[in-house]
Amino acid sequence: MSDARSRMVARAAQEIAPGMVVNLGIGLPTQVVNHLPADFPVCLHSENGLTGIGAMLPYDKADRNLIDAGGAYVSTVPGSAFFDSAVSFALVRSGRLDLTLLGAFEVACNGDLANWKIPGKFSPGAGGAIELAQKARRVVVMTTHCDRKGNPKLLDACTLPLTARGRVARIYTDMAVVDVTPDGFALRELAIGISVADLRAATGAPVTIPHSDIPTF
Amino acid sequence: MSDARSRMVARAAQEIAPGMVVNLGIGLPTQVVNHLPADFPVCLHSENGLTGIGAMLPYDKADRNLIDAGGAYVSTVPGSAFFDSAVSFALVRSGRLDLTLLGAFEVACNGDLANWKIPGKFSPGAGGAIELAQKARRVVVMTTHCDRKGNPKLLDACTLPLTARGRVARIYTDMAVVDVTPDGFALRELAIGISVADLRAATGAPVTIPHSDIPTF
Amino acid sequence: MKLPDKTLNIPDAIAAIPDGATVLVGGFGVPGTPFTLLNELARQGQRDLVLVKNDANEAGMGIDHLIGNGQVRKLIVTHLGLNANAIAAMNSGALEVEFCAQGILAERIRAGGAGLGAILTDIGIDTELANGKQLVEMNGSAMLVEPALRADVALIHAAIADPFGNLGYAATARNFNPLMAMAATRVIVEAEALVPLGGLAPEAVETTGAFVDHVVELTEISQEYGIVRR
Amino acid sequence: MKLPDKTLNIPDAIAAIPDGATVLVGGFGVPGTPFTLLNELARQGQRDLVLVKNDANEAGMGIDHLIGNGQVRKLIVTHLGLNANAIAAMNSGALEVEFCAQGILAERIRAGGAGLGAILTDIGIDTELANGKQLVEMNGSAMLVEPALRADVALIHAAIADPFGNLGYAATARNFNPLMAMAATRVIVEAEALVPLGGLAPEAVETTGAFVDHVVELTEISQEYGIVRR
């Protein structure tokens, strides 16, 4: 992982406040837990029916019946609980999920999120993404600032089918921390070595820049 | 209990076929189990969250947390299961309840049942009666043929607020076994010592009488 | 990471309930009724409450104290059969009572806990329980809209809890408790036994602590929880 | 009285499934997938099936055999992410696929098991998952009508069962299994262990046998149930 991505993950870990119930999307978001202290009070939720996700396990130590929603073999912690898929999403929809960190194909400056379908190319189904994005109390995106071809993922409006409308509150990228505000994107922090001009060039919508010093991460 | 009522209970016990899931209303219906052999395969359901109701227990042997829906202290049997109130009525509404035996204030010749409310006199609420009457695969009533004042309970039409419309299939009384048919009440059996004339006099709607011999119970 | 600790004392847990709150109360008859939490609510005297419970307990116990104190504005219930006080209060107009079919009350609460808007059902059609309810046509049949029921507070009785709020219930004391424990903004649990994290196996948890806000341990099991000799 | 015995052998249990049946299949990934029942269904070759499952398993296992055999007319699923065969069959038009949000699929099945007509939800509004669905207005907001999903058959994997069909599940192998076990006319369970009546404590039962029709005991846990090294 690049240095900027590592710092993005470490920075995003600060989203997690003590006592939260948190769902971490597959991929980079799951790595934020590596930046939390051992005694940090938090509950990790997995859509397939688990609160209290423990460490990932190597194949030779795995329990064949214990996976997370991404299919990784995980363990329990003291106080873990298993439940069925209906209860799992009851928790999501009823406001008990304080935070979700999700990946994205596109995020619009009004908080729209597209992260499940690229028509004609990638359409495996949304799984639980729509409910996570639509109902978590706080929806935060973690993504590279641009796609593999260098095109911006932070846009004026999403071009892909939506996952949820107007729900993204904040975006962590390898270039910046950007909030979604009533006035659109607002820069909060810059990655070390990134200038405002770099950010503007890599972003597909206007970004409000603070007048004061811009913190770095 | 009068002899005729005892025979009614014994006769009604024959409603229970091997393998059934059965809910027995509070009062007389619960007594049909006394007429089943010890190894008879049946599952008794209690609305408050129990399949496999065991024997009633005296106070000094009771478990304070184990009651049936009527508030009686009961026991479990090998294979009993506890569940919540939503699952309990899921079972009722989704067709898994093969039979319910209920008491009645009034039964009409089209199968309408009134057994939960007497306006101005008795209105404690229906509890689970509406779902039992509306959704059990077979709804059978067990009742005295007349009320305490001698008025018929089997009527042309119910006068009291309905529990369910057109759901009663059969009625066991201390005078007769009566089926509800598309043509109204049809006599199937008579209690020992009851004549067709007795029955007609005590019934508030026409009763079809079989041409053949009428069995007694 | 470790799971958060939600243990609290009884007065502070109940003090968070404001006047006018809608309160879900577990229990079916005696089993599963949170008598200790209810007694503290009676002592603190919050008023204008809307209570949701399967039944009204019996005279002299549980929510009957709250009804007797005039703390209850409205009761949503499936039946009042064993509490003559509650029936009298209803008949005199002192207590507003809304009756709901038992399984539909369970489903409405569950729908609240599941973040749904409503369920569609035919239960109660052709009866007076359908009066005034919204109807929707589905595949040519009329269905009643039964709105999800969510509350400000849920008062839950559990047999066993850990500090995170994972719960286990005893026998038929389960009843409405796991449903109500999902369906309130503030879920307060009294537990007969509090075990450390890990003291409940993950398979044995009947309500995940993710739904629970406060856990209080009962220091005594008072007489109200015992056998009722009628 | 004693509780009825529902044990049966695997071929007879599966032989009761007709062509054209709608079949609920438990599992989320490998855990909870009834591989042995599915393999027998592939062997017997019933056709024109509608399958309902969280996912399409992976290539070469579980329902992928049925898709590969052309036994599946339609698949109702939340995602196909790990099965390139299923995606190819969908893209070629050989397989009709209906996508459902994961928790809404769970709720639709649960509603079927609970004898409800539908649930009302705002999940999927503003997305293409709302296309073509009935809308109902509730308190000024538009809600989607998501109809209950009930099936002819459910194929369930349990860790433990008794002859009446009381079930317990292992860890995250629970997932859709308890919901599907309520929602079919014929519920067929494969269990890793069959214990006598009374071998499961009443509190430990996660699905009451009252919902179950047939119980088969697995005589071996084949490789498909094991760890997948990717």
Side-chain angles (χ1 to χ4, degrees), chain B residues 48 59 62 64-67 71 73 82 84-86 89 93 117 123-127 130-131 134-135 161 163 165, chain C residues 31 78-80 90 99 101-104 107 122-124 126-129 171-172 175-176 192 225 227-228 230:
Chain B
N48 57 329
Y59 293 128
R64 65 187 164 90
N65 288 313
L66 182 45
I67 62 173
Y73 293 100
F82 301 128
D84 66 44
S85 296
F89 282 91
R93 287 188 307 264
K117 185 172 182 178
S123 55
I130 289 175
E131 284 152 296
Q134 202 173 324
K135 292 296 182 182
T163 311
R165 186 176 293 284
Chain C
T78 82
H79 70 89
L80 305 175
M90 171 178 73
F99 287 108
Q102 197 165 97
I104 298 304
E107 287 294 326
D122 61 356
I123 293 296
D126 295 329
T127 78
E128 57 182 59
L129 287 187
T172 58
N175 56 65
F176 281 81
E192 299 195 12
Y225 295 94
I227 303 286
V228 182
R230 293 187 183 87

Side-chain angles (χ1 to χ4, degrees), chain A residues 89-90 93-94 135, chain C residues 110-117 150, chain D residues 120-123:
Chain A
F89 282 90
R93 286 188 308 264
S94 68
K135 292 296 180 181
Chain C
R110 191 195 166 280
L116 305 174
R150 234 186 123 73
Chain D
L120 300 188
T121 177
D122 60 356
I123 294 296

Side-chain angles (χ1 to χ4, degrees), chain A residues 47-50 59-60 62-69 71-73 82-86 89-90 93 116-117 123-128 130-131 134-135 161-165, chain D residues 28 31 78-81 87 90 99-104 106-107 110 122-129 170-176 178-179 192 221 225-230:
Chain A
E47 299 97 291
N48 57 326
L50 170 61
Y59 293 128
D60 60 342
D63 174 345
R64 65 188 164 89
N65 288 312
L66 182 44
I67 62 173
D68 68 13
Y73 293 99
F82 301 127
F83 36 81
D84 67 43
S85 297
F89 282 90
R93 286 188 308 264
W116 73 281
K117 184 172 184 179
S123 55
I130 289 174
E131 284 151 297
Q134 201 173 324
K135 292 296 180 181
L162 290 189
T163 310
R165 186 176 294 283
Chain D
F28 186 120
T78 82
H79 69 88
L80 305 174
I87 293 176
M90 172 178 71
F99 288 108
C100 196
Q102 197 165 98
I104 297 305
E107 287 295 326
R110 192 197 164 279
D122 60 356
I123 294 296
I125 281 186
D126 294 331
T127 78
E128 58 182 59
L129 287 186
T172 58
R174 191 181 308 198
N175 56 68
F176 281 80
L179 309 166
E192 298 194 12
I221 305 302
Y225 295 94
I227 304 287
V228 181
R229 294 170 188 253
R230 293 185 184 92

Side-chain angles (χ1 to χ4, degrees), chain D residues 25 38 51 53 55-57 61-68 75:
Chain D
V25 183
L38 289 169
L51 298 190
K53 191 175 183 304
D55 55 82
N57 288 123
M61 65 197 302
I63 69 166
D64 184 59
H65 294 310
L66 303 175
I67 296 169
L75 186 58

Side-chain angles (χ1 to χ4, degrees), chain D residues 140-195:
Chain D
S141 296
M143 303 291 275
L144 292 172
V145 178
E146 291 280 4
L149 214 166
R150 231 185 125 75
D152 302 303
V153 177
L155 303 181
I156 303 299
H157 179 86
I160 186 167
D162 70 19
F164 179 55
N166 289 313
L167 308 180
Y169 307 97
T172 58
R174 191 181 308 198
N175 56 68
F176 281 80
N177 279 301
L179 309 166
M180 291 177 167
M182 296 165 66
T185 306
R186 184 183 296 271
V187 174
I188 306 171
V189 177
E190 56 166 55
E192 298 194 12
L194 183 68
V195 296

